[in-house]
């Protein structure tokens, strides 16, 4: 059987998902036809059954590819600093680092102190940060750097892992 790198599998999974949506649209077109009452139905190039058969084949391939990708992401590790962690964990860590960086960027862009609109003319309300925005700005840069580095490690190993999957029908 032909082999496919994990990196190519990520792209193929997207291609298969798109193909499934296209076939679902074709099902809708093949399922109904408008003709004058009493007229003979025109011959269709592809019947609803043809499209259903194709979509079932693509869905089977999608499930198989998904399973192979999950197995590879669990069975293969990335060396991160001094730890070796499964790819699946590295993917989640990169996602979490990006989320944390987004929040730190938000705090890093906040003013240390700002006046808040008050309903009273005699009382001034000041919103004061309980942290140093510059500290969070710098922290955001570092978190984003770590996430990018981790993503690069994931991408690099994805090209070295091969899956037993025949992609000839799609690539």
């Amino acid at each position: 059987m032909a082999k496919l790198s994990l990196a190519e599998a990520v792209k193929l999974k997207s291609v298969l998902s798109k193909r499934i949506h296209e076939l679902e649209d074709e099902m809708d077109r093949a399922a109904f036809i408008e003709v004058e009452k009493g007229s003979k139905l025109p011959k269709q190039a592809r019947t609803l059954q043809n499209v259903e058969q194709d979509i079932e084949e693509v869905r089977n391939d999608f499930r198989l590819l998904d399973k192979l990708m999950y197995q590879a992401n669990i069975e293969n590790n990335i060396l991160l600093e001094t730890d070796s962690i499964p790819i699946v964990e590295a993917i989640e860590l990169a996602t979490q680092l990006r989320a944390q960086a987004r929040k730190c960027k938000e705090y890093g862009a906040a003013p240390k102190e700002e006046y808040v609109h008050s309903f009273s003319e005699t009382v001034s309300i000041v919103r004061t940060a309980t942290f140093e925005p510059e500290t969070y700005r710098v922290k955001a840069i570092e978190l984003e750097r770590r996430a990018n580095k981790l993503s690069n490690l994931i991408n690099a190993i994805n090209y070295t892992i091969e899956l037993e999957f025949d992609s000839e029908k799609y690539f």
Side-chain angles (χ1 to χ4, degrees):
M1 177 175 270
K3 293 189 184 250
L4 175 75
S5 76
L6 185 52
E8 292 168 323
V10 171
K11 175 65 178 164
L12 180 56
K13 191 172 171 186
S14 173
V15 168
L16 294 179
S17 180
K18 182 180 177 191
R19 183 70 181 132
I20 289 168
H21 291 296
E22 290 169 350
L23 288 167
E24 287 172 342
D25 289 343
E26 187 179 351
M27 282 180 73
D28 292 340
R29 290 189 305 276
F32 301 97
I33 191 164
E34 293 181 11
V35 294
E36 187 177 331
K37 188 166 177 90
S39 296
K40 188 176 178 183
L41 292 178
K43 180 152 175 67
Q44 293 176 292
R46 286 173 40 90
T47 66
L48 181 59
Q49 290 75 24
N50 296 139
V51 181
E52 283 180 314
Q53 189 175 3
D54 287 353
I55 202 169
E56 184 62 29
E57 184 179 325
V58 176
R59 284 179 172 155
N60 286 338
D61 286 345
F62 186 93
R63 286 192 311 274
L64 173 60
L65 185 61
D66 203 37
K67 179 181 88 169
L68 293 172
M69 289 173 66
Y70 275 111
Q71 284 175 337
N73 284 335
I74 290 170
E75 294 169 358
N76 292 281
N77 290 349
I78 289 178
L79 184 60
L80 181 64
E81 294 160 10
T82 59
D83 292 332
S84 179
I85 62 172
I87 296 172
V88 67
E89 186 179 346
I91 291 168
E92 181 58 31
L93 178 56
T95 301
Q96 290 175 4
L97 288 170
R98 290 194 196 293
Q100 192 177 357
R102 271 192 305 279
K103 197 58 162 169
C104 287
K105 277 184 182 181
E106 183 182 313
Y107 289 159
K112 179 68 177 161
E113 187 174 275
E114 68 181 330
Y115 286 97
V116 180
H117 178 64
S118 174
F119 294 105
S120 169
E121 292 180 14
T122 59
V123 178
S124 293
I125 304 293
V126 178
R127 181 177 183 238
T128 304
T130 59
F131 57 91
E132 286 300 322
E134 180 61 14
T135 302
Y136 276 84
R137 186 191 69 78
V138 171
K139 187 175 180 179
I141 291 168
E142 176 58 23
L143 287 166
E144 204 165 52
R145 185 193 68 75
R146 286 179 56 206
N148 291 337
K149 182 178 178 182
L150 185 53
S151 290
N152 286 342
L153 290 171
I154 293 166
N155 288 337
I157 198 168
N158 282 351
Y159 281 100
T160 67
I161 298 167
E162 290 191 331
L163 307 178
E164 294 282 339
F165 187 87
D166 185 10
S167 62
E168 292 296 314
K169 293 185 280 188
Y170 308 105
F171 284 150

